[in-house]
Amino acid sequence: MIRPQDLLRPAPAGLYCPIGDFYVDPVRPVDRAVITHGHSDHARPGHGAVLATPETLAIMAERYGPDFARWAQPAAYGETTTINGVAVRFAPAGHVLGSAQAVIERDGLIMVVSGDYKRRRDPTCLPFEPVRCHVFISEATFGLPVFVHPSDGEEIARLVHSLTQFPERAHLVGAYALGKAQRVIRLLREAGWDRTIHVHGALERLNRLYQNEGIDLGSLAPATGLKAGALGGEVVIAPPSAIQDRWARRFADPVTAFASGWMGVRARARQRGVELPLVISDHADWPELIQTFEELAPEEIWITHGREEGLLRWAELKGVKARALRLVGYDEDDEETLGEPATA
């Protein structure tokens, strides 16, 4: 069996496979890229060849135009592609629509690049699929024991309760355009909210893409052309930056909400002036990270980005070999706004 560092290694452009001569989620244009999902910090335009799930390629084409790469190759979950003698296949990551773990194998060595992932159910994408491997490469966005996310059903119930409690006020929910917005909409539908949901223009194209992929978002309408004091008692979904923008002033005494794992940190919610913080994350929290490591029992854990110190200490105490790659260029906040400025 070859050594892990012979199959994958950190490089300035990202995680590099020297044998296959390709990168996974490169942060700059390269000749060959394997892309785990459509968020812009992982899926950048300008590569020579891109291998990704069909859904991720559709997202990249929607965001960057049909010529986002010289050549795009779709690979369904479980389908093996050989690149210069290295076998690559995708397994669901549970992060957003089309998100995948890249399972990379050569000479009996299996390494899994998980990209961004979560372990809890998401009605807009397939659940995370555990893949036994020798080396598991993980994010650590919420890699500290303090990060324990509540049930997303409980958080949506808080939103519905506020709508009942303040029927005269519009409820303006900040949610990232790719993945989070559609998930919040689906969770509202599952909670019984069947009224029309109004959406910011920056979300419309990806909402349409999700619906074309079979994700039923129900009745949606653009939040444009409205008179002052509009949409009392209704839900409006918008990029996070928009909820504090002049655009928000048209709505009836809006209750500002923000769906993010970071809303569990009260200081962040206060800093953003969020009245109704909704702790809904598309990343694994601390228990989910540990659950994954214990379930897979890899010989080594590599950490790409985030709060690696907590996971390194956990691995040390458990006698598991671990290293921090400290890859740069990945955003812990998934700022997805299709041209609209946003933070956190």
Side-chain angles (χ1 to χ4, degrees):
M1 186 182 296
I2 62 175
R3 300 179 303 170
Q5 58 266 36
D6 294 330
L7 187 57
L8 285 173
R9 63 183 62 165
L15 199 57
Y16 179 57
C17 177
I19 300 174
D21 190 23
F22 63 84
Y23 290 82
V24 181
D25 292 349
V27 298
R28 63 183 66 168
V30 299
D31 288 337
R32 295 186 186 91
V34 173
I35 304 297
T36 63
H37 67 281
H39 280 139
S40 60
D41 56 335
H42 292 255
R44 292 172 166 85
H47 304 305
V50 168
L51 179 72
T53 64
E55 297 88 349
T56 293
L57 293 178
I59 289 167
M60 294 181 72
E62 184 64 60
R63 301 192 66 229
Y64 303 127
D67 299 325
F68 63 87
R70 289 198 300 273
W71 182 61
Q73 179 180 352
Y77 294 121
E79 176 184 332
T80 298
T81 301
T82 301
I83 307 175
N84 295 327
V86 177
V88 180
R89 65 182 174 88
F90 292 125
H95 181 55
V96 296
L97 179 68
S99 61
Q101 306 169 77
V103 183
I104 299 172
E105 184 172 2
R106 170 69 183 255
D107 296 337
L109 175 65
I110 301 174
M111 302 181 73
V112 172
V113 185
S114 59
D116 290 335
Y117 66 99
K118 66 176 178 294
R119 298 302 305 268
R120 60 190 64 195
R121 174 185 174 273
D122 183 335
T124 67
C125 64
L126 292 178
F128 178 94
E129 179 183 301
V131 178
R132 296 302 295 267
C133 55
H134 300 95
V135 180
F136 184 70
I137 303 174
S138 176
E139 60 149 314
T141 300
F142 293 103
L144 291 174
V146 68
F147 293 118
V148 180
H149 299 149
S151 160
D152 50 20
E154 294 175 1
E155 296 300 282
I156 290 296
R158 292 175 55 236
L159 173 58
V160 173
H161 176 72
S162 182
L163 284 158
T164 303
Q165 189 176 16
F166 303 107
E168 74 285 358
R169 302 179 67 185
H171 282 62
L172 185 55
V173 182
Y176 301 115
L178 173 55
K180 189 65 64 62
Q182 297 79 25
R183 183 179 172 201
V184 168
I185 292 170
R186 276 300 311 155
L187 290 171
L188 277 167
R189 299 309 187 197
E190 291 184 348
W193 189 263
D194 58 3
R195 292 156 66 169
T196 296
I197 294 174
H198 293 74
V199 297
H200 188 283
L203 311 183
E204 291 181 4
R205 288 186 295 153
L206 284 175
N207 286 345
R208 185 165 52 249
L209 185 150
Y210 266 66
Q211 290 174 313
N212 290 340
E213 294 290 338
I215 309 299
D216 183 10
L217 302 179
S219 175
L220 304 177
T224 57
L226 303 172
K227 297 180 180 179
L231 301 183
E234 305 295 341
V235 176
V236 182
I237 312 290
S241 63
I243 65 175
Q244 299 296 341
D245 191 68
R246 290 179 57 189
W247 175 85
R249 298 176 189 174
R250 71 190 70 184
F251 304 111
D253 188 19
V255 173
T256 57
F258 186 6
S260 168
W262 295 110
M263 289 298 96
V265 180
R266 293 181 180 179
R268 291 210 180 196
R270 288 196 301 267
Q271 180 184 10
R272 302 193 176 282
V274 175
E275 184 175 348
L276 182 62
L278 302 172
V279 187
I280 300 175
S281 177
D282 285 329
H283 296 266
D285 64 5
W286 175 264
E288 292 171 331
L289 291 167
I290 301 307
Q291 170 197 351
T292 303
F293 300 157
E294 292 180 339
E295 183 176 359
L296 299 181
E299 296 174 4
E300 295 186 36
I301 296 169
W302 293 4
I303 304 167
T304 56
H305 63 287
R307 283 144 185 80
E308 71 269 8
E309 61 273 15
L311 295 179
L312 291 175
R313 178 58 177 164
W314 176 89
E316 179 184 5
L317 293 173
K318 295 294 183 179
V320 179
K321 187 176 180 180
R323 61 178 293 200
L325 303 181
R326 296 184 173 87
L327 299 180
V328 298
Y330 299 118
D331 189 343
E332 65 185 16
D333 294 325
D334 289 338
E335 294 176 353
E336 292 297 316
T337 55
L338 295 181
E340 291 292 324
T343 55

